[in-house]
Amino acid sequence: MHTKRILYRLSSPTESRAHVTTEATASAADCGLLLIRLTFGLLMAAHGAQKLFGIFGGDGLTATAKGFADLGYRPGKLFAVIGSLSEFLGGLGLALGLFTPLAAAALIGVMVNAMATVTGAHGLWEADGGVEYSVCICVVALAVAAIGPGRLAVDRFFRWGAGGWGEAAFALGLGGVAAAITLSI
């Protein structure tokens, strides 16, 4: 009954067309989230593509696998593929707003591993080789999972598209568990 009243109100000839149009357009927050998702997501996808495909000035999978093996990941190629795909697909997922909590979890997991194995020993600041960059990636990914990807995202059609505590907990929990498993192997 309540739904019928709303539909009737929106189709009523006395209802201003401007009001109906305003509800259908994206808000400044939706556009801001799109800007964050596209910039952050595409840069992360490109970062993963450097490692996977050797494009954008990257060294490619063979060199990445050697780097992972040098860090103690065995087999190096398997972990290089997992880490690179996490960055590539996680970045694309965030950019599109597709499976946003899962995309955020992928980026959080790979960055926790980077902090634990590479940057953690160098302190906070990136200039000293520290965790600054990785922390920023984790926080942005977690924030987008919590806020939701906005109206200008594929996820707007799904239950998890609104974000929330559950989506943030999923992203942080899955990313943390995946990082812990990877680090313990």
Side-chain angles (χ1 to χ4, degrees):
M1 178 103 170
H2 184 66
T3 305
K4 286 182 184 178
R5 216 177 308 146
I6 292 171
L7 291 175
Y8 176 73
R9 280 189 44 211
L10 290 176
S11 63
S12 170
T14 59
E15 186 79 21
S16 81
R17 299 299 292 171
H19 177 70
V20 174
T21 305
T22 303
E23 287 185 7
T25 60
S27 70
D30 292 321
C31 292
L33 278 167
L34 177 64
L35 180 63
I36 290 169
R37 285 191 359 259
L38 285 175
T39 304
F40 180 76
L42 292 176
L43 285 172
M44 287 308 303
H47 191 72
Q50 289 177 314
K51 296 173 183 167
L52 277 174
F53 310 119
I55 58 176
F56 307 123
D59 293 328
L61 194 55
T62 302
T64 303
K66 183 183 178 325
F68 271 73
D70 291 346
L71 289 171
Y73 290 96
R74 303 278 188 255
K77 188 166 188 170
L78 173 67
F79 285 101
V81 168
I82 292 169
S84 300
L85 278 174
S86 294
E87 290 177 349
F88 182 68
L89 295 176
L92 286 179
L94 226 58
L96 294 171
L98 178 62
F99 304 119
T100 302
L102 187 60
L107 295 175
I108 290 168
V110 76
M111 288 301 114
V112 169
N113 269 278
M115 287 185 274
T117 59
V118 179
T119 60
H122 302 285
L124 176 62
W125 304 114
E126 175 70 23
D128 299 326
V131 298
E132 174 186 8
Y133 175 71
S134 298
V135 167
C136 289
I137 291 170
C138 287
V139 169
V140 169
L142 181 60
V144 172
I147 296 166
R151 184 180 290 179
L152 303 174
V154 177
D155 278 348
R156 76 178 181 274
F157 299 112
F158 302 106
R159 181 189 61 75
W160 60 83
W165 289 112
E167 288 77 1
F170 174 84
L172 187 58
L174 182 60
V177 167
I181 290 170
T182 303
L183 290 167
S184 68
I185 296 177

